[in-house]
Amino acid sequence: MGKHALTPAFRFLKATYGRHLTRRYKLSASGIDAVLPIEGPALVLANHTHTLDPFLISAVYPYTIRWVAGSYLFKMKAVGFLLRRLVGSIAKVQGRSDLGTIRSIGNALKKGGIVGLFPEGTRSWDGEMMDITKATAKLLRVFKVPVVFVHIEGGFLNKPRWSDVERKGPIHVSVVRVLGSEEISSMSLGELSQVTKDCLSFSTDDWQEGAKIPYEGAHMAEGSERLFYLCPECHSFSTMHGRGRRVSCSHCGFHADFDDYGFIHTDCQVVDWRHLRDWHHWETAELGRRLNTQGGGTPLFADHGILFQIPGRKRLLTVSKDFEVSVGREGFHFHFARPFKYEGSSVSSYTFPFSSIESVIVNAKQTIEFFADGRQYRFRTALDRSALKYQEAYAEAVELGLACREGSQGGPVTPAGAV
């Protein structure tokens, strides 16, 4: 057990910023009584739907939580200050195995602290829970401390990951279950993995079907083209555009309207979708199918890029703000408007075979970050284009056996077009 419920810094943060969040989001909580005997050490695990999830949970939680957060968040001045100085968060490089993070979690628990984790690793794009791997259960088995499972309800509908505009509606934090350390020790790894999935699994669509809580806004569809990168009717990439409450295809005219409950409606005879997940699941499967059948050298899709960064001695270096990026069966290909000098050569294009890529994630401002042969790269396309399709193209390539998984060694990264 910890010696104190709240650190002075956390008490101040809760009394000020926590109250602000409670008023702004009509924040409420249930099941908190179940965690009152657990001051620490403990783990808090939750689904991830909103940028402010760590602060929303901490605002209603009775004890100090040290959250594991993406390392890129620490680079943002205001958020970084809150995470580092007031909350004492633990940085995690997304998309990479990080033994240093695990050691930091272990050290915090040894000191009687409470550590918060989002096992999905990133926020949901469609309100559905993403895969929870057995690695989470293994982590619980290693630390053998009480685990608190939490659901955040309404966070996605308040501000979907793809949206720049908030809607008016409440957020609720629900403690689903508390697993004691003895209970964890008595379970097999398979049982623990299943319990973890059962306790964390959360569907915004299914929850909203029962809750029927309105989340009002005049710009419900704006930004949805970041999620919907494929038109259901003409199957064109990057032709969807959201405006007001409607998302429509500039190529064939297909459109869908958002209601106050986060559901979509369309008169199209081809599809009859009510949930965002239905559209998203379809386009992911279609992306995989086309990647599997596409001929070599023919791109699936292409975008204009506005930022490309490569590894430098101490940090990533910006080498281009004007380039074309495409994805095909062979991998990611970049062609730059102006060649740049890199490691003694003048480079006008780069090809990253899927076999060389170890991970792909989407960070803030629709920035795609990936590791290839152990080196970090970053690029960004226009904000009205979907960054998600790059991450999902890589995921489908992994499923098809075209790419290596994290930590494995693939083929070489090939700079091309030396002049």
Side-chain angles (χ1 to χ4, degrees):
M1 294 291 183
K3 295 181 179 179
H4 50 263
L6 297 173
T7 62
F10 193 87
R11 188 178 294 112
F12 170 78
L13 184 63
K14 190 165 184 172
T16 54
Y17 190 53
R19 287 182 180 177
H20 165 72
L21 293 177
T22 300
R23 291 193 300 268
R24 180 172 179 175
Y25 297 106
K26 298 180 181 178
L27 187 62
S28 60
S30 61
I32 297 297
D33 288 349
V35 305
L36 289 178
I38 308 172
E39 294 184 30
L43 289 170
V44 176
L45 274 59
N47 61 316
H48 201 4
T49 62
H50 196 288
T51 308
L52 299 177
D53 282 346
F55 304 108
L56 293 169
I57 295 175
S58 293
V60 299
Y61 206 83
Y63 310 123
T64 301
I65 304 175
R66 291 189 62 185
W67 287 98
V68 176
S71 58
Y72 75 95
L73 292 173
F74 289 80
K75 299 175 184 177
M76 302 178 184
K77 290 184 180 180
V79 175
F81 174 81
L82 290 172
L83 291 174
R84 188 180 296 106
R85 301 297 182 185
L86 293 181
V87 184
S89 290
I90 299 170
K92 168 73 171 70
V93 178
Q94 290 180 296
R96 302 284 288 175
S97 177
D98 194 341
L99 293 178
T101 302
I102 296 176
R103 284 195 292 269
S104 296
I105 294 173
N107 290 336
L109 294 174
K110 288 178 181 178
K111 295 177 182 178
I114 300 173
V115 177
L117 297 165
F118 297 103
E120 295 167 278
T122 187
R123 285 177 289 148
S124 172
W125 282 91
D126 60 6
E128 298 299 299
M129 197 80 183
M130 289 176 280
D131 289 340
I132 304 297
T133 67
K134 284 187 176 181
T136 301
K138 291 179 180 178
L139 202 64
L140 305 188
R141 175 60 61 82
V142 168
F143 292 131
K144 294 181 181 179
V145 297
V147 179
V148 180
F149 293 101
V150 174
H151 282 171
I152 300 176
E153 302 165 354
F156 177 82
L157 292 171
N158 184 276
K159 188 180 180 183
R161 179 171 181 174
W162 40 264
S163 177
D164 293 327
V165 182
E166 286 189 343
R167 306 162 182 179
K168 293 182 179 180
I171 296 177
H172 183 78
V173 176
S174 173
V175 174
V176 178
R177 182 174 177 179
V178 177
L179 278 183
S181 53
E182 293 183 1
E183 193 174 2
I184 292 173
S185 298
S186 68
M187 293 181 182
S188 68
L189 187 61
E191 291 172 334
L192 185 56
S193 180
Q194 188 60 51
V195 168
T196 300
K197 289 181 180 180
D198 291 343
C199 290
L200 283 177
S201 292
F202 181 81
S203 165
T204 294
D205 285 334
D206 292 345
W207 170 79
Q208 181 65 315
E209 288 285 6
K212 294 181 173 60
I213 299 174
Y215 289 78
E216 300 175 355
H219 309 282
M220 305 282 284
E222 293 183 10
S224 58
E225 64 272 9
R226 298 169 183 169
L227 170 65
F228 300 139
Y229 51 80
L230 263 176
C231 174
E233 188 160 317
C234 67
H235 294 197
S236 297
F237 277 98
S238 304
T239 56
M240 302 304 303
H241 298 280
R243 184 175 181 181
R245 286 173 168 262
R246 172 167 291 186
V247 57
S248 57
C249 176
S250 59
H251 185 263
C252 71
F254 168 84
H255 64 269
D257 297 314
F258 283 71
D259 65 21
D260 285 341
Y261 300 92
F263 300 126
I264 53 176
H265 306 272
T266 178
D267 295 329
C268 178
Q269 300 300 314
V270 179
V271 296
D272 183 22
W273 293 332
R274 173 178 168 83
H275 299 144
L276 274 65
R277 66 184 178 202
D278 296 332
W279 189 339
H280 186 209
H281 289 177
W282 167 81
E283 66 182 353
T284 303
E286 178 65 13
L287 175 61
R289 186 192 69 79
R290 291 169 69 168
L291 187 64
N292 190 36
T293 58
Q294 194 83 359
T298 304
L300 283 177
F301 55 82
D303 289 321
H304 179 72
I306 59 176
L307 177 72
F308 185 75
Q309 297 179 318
I310 61 175
R313 290 184 178 180
K314 295 183 178 180
R315 57 186 176 85
L316 293 178
L317 303 176
T318 300
V319 294
S320 179
K321 294 184 178 181
D322 185 8
F323 60 92
E324 297 297 318
V325 53
S326 62
V327 174
R329 189 175 173 84
E330 71 281 0
F332 293 176
H333 180 74
F334 299 84
H335 183 78
F336 306 98
R338 295 181 180 179
F340 58 88
K341 291 286 186 181
Y342 185 54
E343 295 183 341
S345 299
S346 182
V347 178
S348 62
S349 64
Y350 255 110
T351 296
F352 295 87
F354 281 128
S355 59
S356 73
I357 300 176
E358 299 155 21
S359 64
V360 180
I361 61 171
V362 179
N363 281 335
K365 298 180 180 179
Q366 299 294 296
T367 302
I368 300 100
E369 185 173 280
F370 65 98
F371 284 83
D373 289 336
R375 309 184 79 177
Q376 183 183 20
Y377 299 84
R378 187 181 294 152
F379 70 97
R380 186 183 304 152
T381 62
L383 294 181
D384 63 346
R385 294 300 180 99
S386 171
L388 176 62
K389 64 180 182 285
Y390 292 91
Q391 183 180 36
E392 296 194 334
Y394 170 72
E396 292 300 316
V398 170
E399 291 297 319
L400 293 170
L402 302 176
C404 64
R405 294 188 180 274
E406 182 183 340
S408 62
Q409 296 298 315
V413 177
T414 307
V419 296

